[in-house]
Amino acid sequence: MSGAQYDQESMDRAAEALRSPRGTVVLTGAGISVESGIPDFRSPGGIWSKYPPEEYATIDAFYANPDRVWELWYELADSLRNVKPNPAHLALADLEEMGVVQAVITQNIDALHFHGGSVNVVEYHGSMDWLVCPACHRRRKLGLDQRALGAPRCECGGYMKPDIVLFGEVIPHQALHHADALARRCGAFMVVGTSALVYPAAHLPRLAKESGAVVIECNTAPTGLTETVTDIYLEGSAGATLPALVRRVRGG
Ligand code: APR
């Protein structure tokens, strides 16, 4: 699905909420990168339909069979090589430059918010650009030329993993606390392209609402938040909806 299905009144209310003097914080998920050509996880044909997460994306699966788990990570890294930010990423960067958006908290590991010009980005689930050794914590850049060798090895002899949060791992302390503080302080909290099923990220919209924020949701289909937490639901693709929202905030 693409395009916009939201009604104009919801768009006006969202633009008004974004002008809150307490600022806006945005939580993004895989849906925002779909229009850059990266499939999401849980939609039909999503990544988890080919690579079941319990077999490929848990810390236990990594320790049990690193070469197998790296099949997915190499494929994902390969698919990220030539992707570009789409109008939704650019719109969020515009809103930050306008002083409307304070920060983007992303569950995505594709670095597209940075490439799109956003500055204050919390990479809640880490980044695919880096490797880390779980044994000695050495980090280095991921090199796709190592793919034929299987799981990359650390100088200490252990297997390296991408510096991302696998199922069964905890969110790094700094990202966790920074995101919580942002959610508690903002006047508007905008959720874009996430099914909001994976915790603790999925808890942030509720935390923001309990702290007095207006929750805006932009998604192609309703989620568990839509009827319970969301105040303003903008149904449609992020690539169509967010640029329209920028124009509306600018007064167009
Ligand atoms: N615009 C807006 N929303 C979209 C678009 C689009 N073009 N395309 C899809 N969506 C919506 C889907 O309807 C769905 O609600 O984006 C959401 C994507 O949800 P998921 O595939 O579950 O991805 P995400 O929420 O980011 O997953 C969270 O779970 O798989 C783990 O660690 C992984 O970070 C990921 C986390």
Side-chain angles (χ1 to χ4, degrees), residues 70 109 123-133 137-140 142 160-166 169 172:
W70 266 99
I109 54 175
E123 290 184 307
Y124 205 70
H125 288 170
S127 165
M128 202 56 205
D129 284 351
W130 289 88
L131 300 179
V132 64
C133 173
H137 307 292
R138 250 192 210 95
R139 291 173 91 239
R140 70 165 188 257
L142 170 67
M160 299 195 89
K161 64 182 271 295
D163 197 6
I164 60 175
V165 179
L166 300 179
E169 292 190 294

Side-chain angles (χ1 to χ4, degrees), residues 1-3 28-36 38-43 46-48 53 57 73 86 88 106-109 125 164-167 192-199 201 217-223 233-234 236-241:
M1 189 182 81
S2 65
T28 66
I32 197 169
S33 294
V34 164
E35 289 157 273
S36 291
I38 307 170
D40 69 9
F41 292 97
R42 293 177 181 79
S43 296
I47 291 165
W48 296 149
W73 301 123
N86 67 57
T106 187
Q107 298 165 88
N108 300 341
I109 54 175
H125 288 170
I164 60 175
V165 179
L166 300 179
F167 288 105
V192 183
T194 176
S195 58
L197 288 170
V198 174
Y199 284 81
E217 179 181 356
C218 167
N219 238 315
T220 44
T223 67
Y233 179 54
L234 301 174
S237 76
T241 308

Side-chain angles (χ1 to χ4, degrees), residues 71-93:
E71 284 171 31
L72 165 62
W73 301 123
Y74 278 130
E75 184 165 328
L76 201 57
D78 201 29
S79 74
L80 296 181
R81 266 199 300 182
N82 296 315
V83 293
K84 295 197 168 37
N86 67 57
H89 298 102
L90 302 180
L92 291 184

Side-chain angles (χ1 to χ4, degrees), residues 25 102 175-186 204 207:
V25 169
Q102 288 178 331
L176 191 75
H177 287 276
H178 189 194
D180 270 21
L182 287 165
R184 281 182 208 279
R185 278 202 309 261
C186 63
L204 293 167
L207 180 65

Side-chain angles (χ1 to χ4, degrees), residues 43-63:
S43 296
I47 291 165
W48 296 149
S49 59
K50 183 172 173 196
Y51 293 103
E54 59 282 5
E55 288 174 40
Y56 286 92
T58 68
I59 188 67
D60 289 345
F62 168 75
Y63 283 124

Side-chain angles (χ1 to χ4, degrees), residues 133 136 138-140 152-160:
C133 173
C136 73
R138 250 192 210 95
R139 291 173 91 239
R140 70 165 188 257
R153 292 274 194 171
C154 179
E155 287 161 50
C156 77
Y159 286 107
M160 299 195 89

